[in-house]
Amino acid sequence: MLITHDTRCALDAVVDLVNTAPDTEDAASAETDGLADVAALAEFVRSHDISDVGVLSERDLAGVRHIRGRFHEVFAAPEPRAAATVINELIAEAGTTPRLTDHDGYDWHVHYFAPGASIADHLAADCGMALAFFVVAGEQERLRRCEAPDCRHAFVDLSRNRSRRYCDSRTCGNRLHVAAYRARRKEAAR
């Protein structure tokens, strides 16, 4: 599957957005919310080099948190039709307006958000389209959750044989492999 630069940037942004969500929905989880305030949203925008974003507000933060939950549904979707339904809703609500652009030193690419769109609509349109390409290509199963029982972060499996199981093999994968090794050693010592 060919993934263009702008699609890859949108995939990175949507994965990171979904992974900012707190692990639980209780009041204490506000401390673990990666989008706890407008400053955190501004940092997210800066770190992902998201263009055409004006001054951010609490309303923007609420909008981005809402679409974050919807994108969570896409990664949790059991089959392509369920993912497509959510993606279609996100794209429609964002008022998608495809246009070619070549800003900031990047070659021609497509933006799907309307000029002047809110950050939530911007992310819903661009990230929604990036995920839509996977559903269209029959690759929805590449939109995954980490298999580590204490993690569950979202990721896009871009491995050639669709075999990636963990969001990060150096942390989650390694931790589980070490635990399995120790369990085998302990069992063998008996």
Side-chain angles (χ1 to χ4, degrees):
M1 177 175 188
L2 176 66
I3 300 174
T4 62
H5 171 76
D6 51 315
T7 300
R8 181 58 193 249
C9 290
L11 289 172
D12 290 344
V14 73
V15 164
D16 289 348
L17 177 62
V18 169
N19 291 338
T20 65
D23 294 332
T24 62
E25 296 299 321
D26 62 26
S29 69
E31 300 159 8
T32 63
D33 190 335
L35 293 178
D37 53 29
V38 175
L41 177 58
E43 176 57 26
F44 179 86
V45 168
R46 187 204 60 72
S47 69
H48 287 280
D49 199 23
I50 300 173
S51 62
D52 294 336
V53 176
V55 177
L56 297 170
S57 67
E58 289 291 331
R59 184 176 182 180
D60 291 313
L61 180 62
V64 171
R65 285 178 175 164
H66 171 72
I67 64 156
R68 174 179 68 184
R70 301 303 315 271
F71 281 129
H72 170 79
E73 293 175 39
V74 173
F75 280 88
E79 43 88 26
R81 185 166 307 283
T85 298
V86 177
I87 292 168
N88 284 338
E89 290 169 358
L90 279 163
I91 292 169
E93 290 169 9
T96 306
T97 308
R99 61 189 166 99
L100 288 169
T101 183
D102 67 342
H103 63 87
D104 299 330
Y106 294 107
D107 287 335
W108 288 105
H109 59 282
V110 180
H111 280 187
Y112 295 96
F113 59 93
S118 70
I119 183 64
D121 286 345
H122 179 141
L123 291 170
D126 274 1
C127 296
M129 288 303 299
L131 296 175
F133 296 141
F134 278 81
V135 174
V136 168
E139 301 284 352
Q140 184 251 341
E141 75 273 4
R142 290 183 181 270
L143 309 177
R144 298 196 174 157
R145 294 300 221 164
C146 183
E147 290 184 18
D150 59 341
C151 179
R152 305 300 296 153
H153 274 147
F155 67 94
V156 178
D157 179 3
L158 297 177
S159 66
R160 187 173 291 193
N161 61 356
R162 298 175 188 88
S163 62
R164 189 170 160 198
R165 298 174 49 207
Y166 306 108
C167 64
D168 186 344
S169 61
R170 292 180 307 257
T171 55
C172 291
N174 192 44
R175 187 175 64 249
L176 287 176
H177 289 115
V178 168
Y181 171 77
R182 288 180 179 159
R184 285 191 307 272
R185 294 277 307 216
K186 185 176 179 179
E187 186 63 32
R190 288 185 184 182

